[in-house]
């Protein structure tokens, strides 16, 4: 059965003198030929053999079933690094104060941390079972860090006219995420192979509703309140992108509905998850820049008398 039909043809081992060791490192394997810890549900082909750290890094520049996962987030890491540099060295209308600049730097640095840890996990997961799950833990921590960075930017932007509430929400979010990190570290031996605690990530993601709802409730107290239905709509866009990514992550579509091997190298659900996560982060950055640029120029409150 033909399985490598996305970008390449099946790779077969040859036995030319002096080429055996090199070709064994480069050959792509079927799922039944690799250790259990490397196998992914409904992914049948395109696996790397067990590799050392150096060979794992070299494999980044070859095509296999982790190539898209590695490069989608490594390119994201570079993109957010570019945005970080232009925010630091150039003036922008969304950076109206030093607090704005600090918040946008936190957002972009945490996005970079998430992107590079994800890319490293997918690079080294074929090294050994122990190494895979150590990097998987780091990968999941990166998601939490990026969520905290997103909340920080949103809170600083939306509550700029309400400094007391700004500090309250920042403190609350930081405490919440710190407790989650402590809980994960404390129970790290009890979790099975660093599996995704999906309910935890969903709960933390949905917590954003609380500060956003509070912001919407107090915005009308401003004389120059410009909170509109348009802004509320665009705030929902990153959630929509995240929801689509989550759909592919959970459903394992399309690999579960297409002939075996058709999307092993490109188009698999985890690769789509990566793309939607990156798109969600880009949209959060663009959205918060827009919110910061269009927020009221004056923080004058409506008189209660």
């Amino acid at each position: 059965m033909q399985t490598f039909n996305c970008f390449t043809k099946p790779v077969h081992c040859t036995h030319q003198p002096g080429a055996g060791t090199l070709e064994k490192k480069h050959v792509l394997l079927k799922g039944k030929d690799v250790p259990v810890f490397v196998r992914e549900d409904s992914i049948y082909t395109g696996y790397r053999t067990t590799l050392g750290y150096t060979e794992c890094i070299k494999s980044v520049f070859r095509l296999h079933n982790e190539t898209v996962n590695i490069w989608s987030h490594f390119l994201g890491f570079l993109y957010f690094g570019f945005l970080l540099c232009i925010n630091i060295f150039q003036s922008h209308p969304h950076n109206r104060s030093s607090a704005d600049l600090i918040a946008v730097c936190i957002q972009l640095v945490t996005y970079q941390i998430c992107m590079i840890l994800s890319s490293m996990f997918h690079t080294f997961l074929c090294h050994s079972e122990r190494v895979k799950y150590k990097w998987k833990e780091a990968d999941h921590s990166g998601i939490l860090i990026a969520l905290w960075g997103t909340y920080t930017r949103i809170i600083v932007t939306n509550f700029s006219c309400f400094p007391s509430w700004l500090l309250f929400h920042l403190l609350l979010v930081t405490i919440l995420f710190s407790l989650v990190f402590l809980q994960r570290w404390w129970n790290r031996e009890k979790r099975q192979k660093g599996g995704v605690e999906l309910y935890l990530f969903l709960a933390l993601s949905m917590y954003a509703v609380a500060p956003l709802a509070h912001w919407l409730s107090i915005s009308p107290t401003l004389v120059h309140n410009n909170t509109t239905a348009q802004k509320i709509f665009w705030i929902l866009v990153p959630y929509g992108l995240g929801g689509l990514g989550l759909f592919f992550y959970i459903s394992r579509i399309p690999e579960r509905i297409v002939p075996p091997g058709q999307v092993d190298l490109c188009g698999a659900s985890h690769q789509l998850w990566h793309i939607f996560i990156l798109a969600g982060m880009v949209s959060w950055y663009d959205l918060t820049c827009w919110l910061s640029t269009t927020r009221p120029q004056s923080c004058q409150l409506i008189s209660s008398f």
Side-chain angles (χ1 to χ4, degrees), residues 107 153-154 157 283-293:
Q107 182 184 31
R153 177 79 191 283
I154 292 173
T157 297
S283 66
W284 271 124
Y285 171 78
D286 289 339
L287 173 67
T288 46
C289 287
W290 177 57
L291 290 175
S292 180
T293 302

Side-chain angles (χ1 to χ4, degrees), residues 201-253:
F201 293 104
L202 285 175
L204 290 174
S205 297
M206 295 308 298
Y207 173 78
V209 174
L212 285 173
H214 186 207
W215 167 61
L216 291 173
S217 71
I218 63 178
S219 291
T221 63
L222 293 171
V223 172
H224 301 287
N225 170 42
N226 62 349
T227 303
T228 63
Q230 181 188 29
K231 286 188 176 181
I232 297 172
F233 168 79
W234 284 110
I235 287 172
L236 299 177
V237 170
Y239 285 103
L241 293 171
L244 280 173
L246 187 63
F247 165 76
F248 288 113
Y249 183 90
I250 294 175
S251 67
R252 293 284 182 175
I253 292 174

